[in-house]
Tab-separated table of all heavy atoms in Angstrom:
chain	number	residue	atom	x	y	z
A	26	SER	N	-14.483	15.468	-6.120
A	26	SER	CA	-13.384	16.342	-5.720
A	26	SER	C	-12.683	16.888	-6.959
A	26	SER	O	-12.419	16.158	-7.914
A	26	SER	CB	-12.380	15.572	-4.857
A	26	SER	OG	-11.247	16.361	-4.565
A	27	SER	N	-12.344	18.159	-6.934
A	27	SER	CA	-11.704	18.800	-8.085
A	27	SER	C	-10.205	19.015	-7.902
A	27	SER	O	-9.525	19.436	-8.840
A	27	SER	CB	-12.376	20.164	-8.343
A	27	SER	OG	-12.249	21.006	-7.201
A	28	TRP	N	-9.693	18.726	-6.714
A	28	TRP	CA	-8.275	18.978	-6.429
A	28	TRP	C	-7.745	17.813	-5.613
A	28	TRP	O	-8.110	17.646	-4.446
A	28	TRP	CB	-8.152	20.298	-5.666
A	28	TRP	CG	-6.759	20.754	-5.387
A	28	TRP	CD1	-5.591	20.298	-5.926
A	28	TRP	CD2	-6.388	21.796	-4.464
A	28	TRP	NE1	-4.515	20.975	-5.409
A	28	TRP	CE2	-4.970	21.903	-4.521
A	28	TRP	CE3	-7.102	22.646	-3.625
A	28	TRP	CZ2	-4.276	22.816	-3.747
A	28	TRP	CZ3	-6.405	23.561	-2.852
A	28	TRP	CH2	-5.009	23.654	-2.921
A	29	ASN	N	-6.903	16.975	-6.238
A	29	ASN	CA	-6.473	15.729	-5.617
A	29	ASN	C	-4.965	15.559	-5.733
A	29	ASN	O	-4.385	15.831	-6.782
A	29	ASN	CB	-7.159	14.541	-6.299
A	29	ASN	CG	-8.668	14.699	-6.316
A	29	ASN	OD1	-9.336	14.463	-5.326
A	29	ASN	ND2	-9.199	15.107	-7.465
A	30	VAL	N	-4.358	15.094	-4.645
A	30	VAL	CA	-2.908	14.904	-4.633
A	30	VAL	C	-2.557	13.623	-3.885
A	30	VAL	O	-3.299	13.174	-3.019
A	30	VAL	CB	-2.182	16.082	-3.953
A	30	VAL	CG1	-2.400	17.374	-4.731
A	30	VAL	CG2	-2.608	16.228	-2.504
A	31	PRO	N	-1.395	13.048	-4.215
A	31	PRO	CA	-0.860	11.970	-3.381
A	31	PRO	C	-0.072	12.582	-2.231
A	31	PRO	O	0.435	13.697	-2.353
A	31	PRO	CB	0.059	11.217	-4.335
A	31	PRO	CG	0.593	12.296	-5.231
A	31	PRO	CD	-0.513	13.322	-5.364
A	32	GLU	N	0.022	11.878	-1.128
A	32	GLU	CA	0.872	12.319	-0.036
A	32	GLU	C	1.835	11.181	0.310
A	32	GLU	O	1.433	10.186	0.901
A	32	GLU	CB	0.036	12.745	1.175
A	32	GLU	CG	-0.834	13.965	0.872
A	32	GLU	CD	-1.470	14.576	2.111
A	32	GLU	OE1	-1.178	14.098	3.234
A	32	GLU	OE2	-2.255	15.523	1.964
A	33	PRO	N	3.098	11.305	-0.099
A	33	PRO	CA	4.091	10.253	0.156
A	33	PRO	C	4.541	10.282	1.615
A	33	PRO	O	4.999	11.319	2.108
A	33	PRO	CB	5.233	10.620	-0.788
A	33	PRO	CG	5.119	12.105	-0.946
A	33	PRO	CD	3.665	12.446	-0.843
A	34	GLU	N	4.419	9.141	2.296
A	34	GLU	CA	4.649	9.154	3.738
A	34	GLU	C	5.397	7.911	4.217
A	34	GLU	O	5.054	6.787	3.839
A	34	GLU	CB	3.312	9.261	4.484
A	34	GLU	CG	2.471	10.445	4.007
A	34	GLU	CD	1.264	10.727	4.885
A	34	GLU	OE1	1.236	10.227	6.028
A	34	GLU	OE2	0.363	11.438	4.423
A	35	LEU	N	6.403	8.128	5.057
A	35	LEU	CA	6.979	7.023	5.795
A	35	LEU	C	5.877	6.462	6.683
A	35	LEU	O	5.181	7.207	7.385
A	35	LEU	CB	8.144	7.501	6.656
A	35	LEU	CG	8.771	6.430	7.560
A	35	LEU	CD1	9.469	5.360	6.735
A	35	LEU	CD2	9.715	7.070	8.565
A	36	THR	N	5.706	5.146	6.649
A	36	THR	CA	4.633	4.507	7.411
A	36	THR	C	5.229	3.515	8.399
A	36	THR	O	6.060	2.681	8.035
A	36	THR	CB	3.654	3.806	6.463
A	36	THR	OG1	3.113	4.784	5.558
A	36	THR	CG2	2.517	3.161	7.225
A	37	LEU	N	4.797	3.633	9.643
A	37	LEU	CA	5.308	2.797	10.724
A	37	LEU	C	4.422	1.575	10.909
A	37	LEU	O	3.206	1.649	10.711
A	37	LEU	CB	5.322	3.583	12.040
A	37	LEU	CG	5.849	5.023	11.998
A	37	LEU	CD1	5.658	5.682	13.360
A	37	LEU	CD2	7.304	5.046	11.572
A	38	PHE	N	5.036	0.448	11.310
A	38	PHE	CA	4.237	-0.670	11.786
A	38	PHE	C	4.624	-0.956	13.221
A	38	PHE	O	5.803	-1.173	13.532
A	38	PHE	CB	4.419	-1.947	10.961
A	38	PHE	CG	3.654	-3.103	11.569
A	38	PHE	CD1	2.265	-3.130	11.496
A	38	PHE	CD2	4.305	-4.106	12.267
A	38	PHE	CE1	1.541	-4.139	12.099
A	38	PHE	CE2	3.587	-5.125	12.875
A	38	PHE	CZ	2.199	-5.146	12.787
A	39	ALA	N	3.626	-0.950	14.102
A	39	ALA	CA	3.836	-1.252	15.511
A	39	ALA	C	2.994	-2.454	15.896
A	39	ALA	O	1.869	-2.631	15.411
A	39	ALA	CB	3.481	-0.052	16.381
A	40	THR	N	3.529	-3.293	16.767
A	40	THR	CA	2.825	-4.475	17.230
A	40	THR	C	1.711	-4.086	18.196
A	40	THR	O	1.534	-2.912	18.536
A	40	THR	CB	3.793	-5.428	17.936
A	40	THR	OG1	4.299	-4.777	19.125
A	40	THR	CG2	4.965	-5.776	17.026
A	41	SER	N	0.974	-5.087	18.668
A	41	SER	CA	-0.145	-4.818	19.573
A	41	SER	C	0.300	-4.165	20.880
A	41	SER	O	-0.495	-3.534	21.568
A	41	SER	CB	-0.912	-6.109	19.870
A	41	SER	OG	-0.033	-7.106	20.368
A	42	SER	N	1.587	-4.286	21.216
A	42	SER	CA	2.103	-3.629	22.424
A	42	SER	C	2.527	-2.191	22.159
A	42	SER	O	2.923	-1.483	23.083
A	42	SER	CB	3.305	-4.411	22.968
A	42	SER	OG	4.429	-4.268	22.111
A	43	GLY	N	2.454	-1.772	20.883
A	43	GLY	CA	2.896	-0.431	20.515
A	43	GLY	C	4.367	-0.349	20.184
A	43	GLY	O	4.912	0.751	20.041
A	44	THR	N	5.019	-1.495	20.018
A	44	THR	CA	6.452	-1.523	19.716
A	44	THR	C	6.691	-1.379	18.221
A	44	THR	O	6.133	-2.121	17.409
A	44	THR	CB	7.068	-2.858	20.179
A	44	THR	OG1	6.851	-3.018	21.591
A	44	THR	CG2	8.560	-2.896	19.887
A	45	LEU	N	7.505	-0.411	17.851
A	45	LEU	CA	7.848	-0.185	16.447
A	45	LEU	C	8.820	-1.263	15.983
A	45	LEU	O	9.928	-1.376	16.511
A	45	LEU	CB	8.467	1.204	16.288
A	45	LEU	CG	9.022	1.580	14.912
A	45	LEU	CD1	7.926	1.549	13.855
A	45	LEU	CD2	9.680	2.962	14.961
A	46	VAL	N	8.402	-2.048	14.974
A	46	VAL	CA	9.263	-3.130	14.489
A	46	VAL	C	9.564	-3.038	12.995
A	46	VAL	O	10.393	-3.785	12.480
A	46	VAL	CB	8.656	-4.521	14.795
A	46	VAL	CG1	8.563	-4.751	16.298
A	46	VAL	CG2	7.306	-4.697	14.124
A	47	GLY	N	8.884	-2.145	12.282
A	47	GLY	CA	9.132	-2.080	10.848
A	47	GLY	C	8.552	-0.842	10.208
A	47	GLY	O	7.805	-0.073	10.822
A	48	TYR	N	8.925	-0.664	8.916
A	48	TYR	CA	8.506	0.498	8.143
A	48	TYR	C	8.030	0.051	6.760
A	48	TYR	O	8.506	-0.940	6.208
A	48	TYR	CB	9.674	1.463	7.942
A	48	TYR	CG	10.371	1.924	9.198
A	48	TYR	CD1	11.416	1.183	9.742
A	48	TYR	CD2	10.012	3.115	9.825
A	48	TYR	CE1	12.086	1.615	10.884
A	48	TYR	CE2	10.678	3.556	10.970
A	48	TYR	CZ	11.710	2.801	11.490
A	48	TYR	OH	12.361	3.225	12.621
A	49	THR	N	7.130	0.813	6.192
A	49	THR	CA	6.779	0.648	4.794
A	49	THR	C	6.554	2.033	4.195
A	49	THR	O	6.724	3.053	4.869
A	49	THR	CB	5.557	-0.276	4.617
A	49	THR	OG1	5.383	-0.578	3.234
A	49	THR	CG2	4.291	0.351	5.169
A	50	ILE	N	6.191	2.061	2.916
A	50	ILE	CA	5.905	3.326	2.241
A	50	ILE	C	4.393	3.467	2.114
A	50	ILE	O	3.706	2.510	1.755
A	50	ILE	CB	6.559	3.363	0.848
A	50	ILE	CG1	8.073	3.205	0.965
A	50	ILE	CG2	6.224	4.672	0.120
A	50	ILE	CD1	8.779	3.020	-0.367
A	51	GLY	N	3.890	4.651	2.397
A	51	GLY	CA	2.458	4.895	2.289
A	51	GLY	C	2.141	6.013	1.311
A	51	GLY	O	2.907	6.970	1.176
A	52	ASN	N	1.024	5.862	0.627
A	52	ASN	CA	0.484	6.920	-0.231
A	52	ASN	C	-0.879	7.289	0.339
A	52	ASN	O	-1.847	6.534	0.220
A	52	ASN	CB	0.352	6.433	-1.675
A	52	ASN	CG	-0.160	7.515	-2.620
A	52	ASN	OD1	-0.501	8.618	-2.189
A	52	ASN	ND2	-0.223	7.198	-3.895
A	53	ASP	N	-0.941	8.434	0.975
A	53	ASP	CA	-2.159	8.935	1.602
A	53	ASP	C	-2.866	9.844	0.599
A	53	ASP	O	-2.681	11.055	0.591
A	53	ASP	CB	-1.778	9.694	2.876
A	53	ASP	CG	-2.957	10.412	3.523
A	53	ASP	OD1	-4.111	10.076	3.207
A	53	ASP	OD2	-2.701	11.314	4.356
A	54	MET	N	-3.684	9.234	-0.262
A	54	MET	CA	-4.405	10.014	-1.276
A	54	MET	C	-5.358	10.995	-0.592
A	54	MET	O	-6.069	10.643	0.341
A	54	MET	CB	-5.167	9.080	-2.195
A	54	MET	CG	-4.273	8.197	-3.051
A	54	MET	SD	-3.466	9.119	-4.376
A	54	MET	CE	-4.871	9.401	-5.465
A	55	SER	N	-5.375	12.238	-1.092
A	55	SER	CA	-6.107	13.297	-0.406
A	55	SER	C	-6.889	14.165	-1.374
A	55	SER	O	-6.378	14.566	-2.422
A	55	SER	CB	-5.129	14.186	0.377
A	55	SER	OG	-4.426	13.423	1.340
A	56	SER	N	-8.123	14.470	-0.977
A	56	SER	CA	-8.994	15.367	-1.752
A	56	SER	C	-8.912	16.748	-1.124
A	56	SER	O	-9.668	17.081	-0.202
A	56	SER	CB	-10.434	14.849	-1.740
A	56	SER	OG	-10.503	13.529	-2.224
A	57	ARG	N	-8.001	17.563	-1.622
A	57	ARG	CA	-7.752	18.854	-0.984
A	57	ARG	C	-8.910	19.820	-1.161
A	57	ARG	O	-9.152	20.682	-0.307
A	57	ARG	CB	-6.456	19.460	-1.539
A	57	ARG	CG	-5.212	18.674	-1.150
A	57	ARG	CD	-3.938	19.387	-1.533
A	57	ARG	NE	-3.764	20.632	-0.777
A	57	ARG	CZ	-2.785	21.502	-0.983
A	57	ARG	NH1	-1.886	21.255	-1.918
A	57	ARG	NH2	-2.690	22.594	-0.259
């Protein structure tokens, strides 16, 4: 890949029931 960027993202954590209980920070590396 010749064009690459980080994607800073609020990241959710949900339990097996789909209940949102927490947050973390995510870096979604992307090959544009």
Side-chain angles (χ1 to χ4, degrees):
S26 174
S27 60
W28 184 14
N29 306 281
V30 297
E32 296 191 4
E34 307 190 17
L35 176 67
T36 301
L37 316 174
F38 175 72
T40 64
S41 55
S42 71
T44 301
L45 174 61
V46 296
Y48 305 87
T49 189
I50 300 171
N52 182 355
D53 173 18
M54 294 287 288
S55 300
S56 304
R57 293 188 66 185

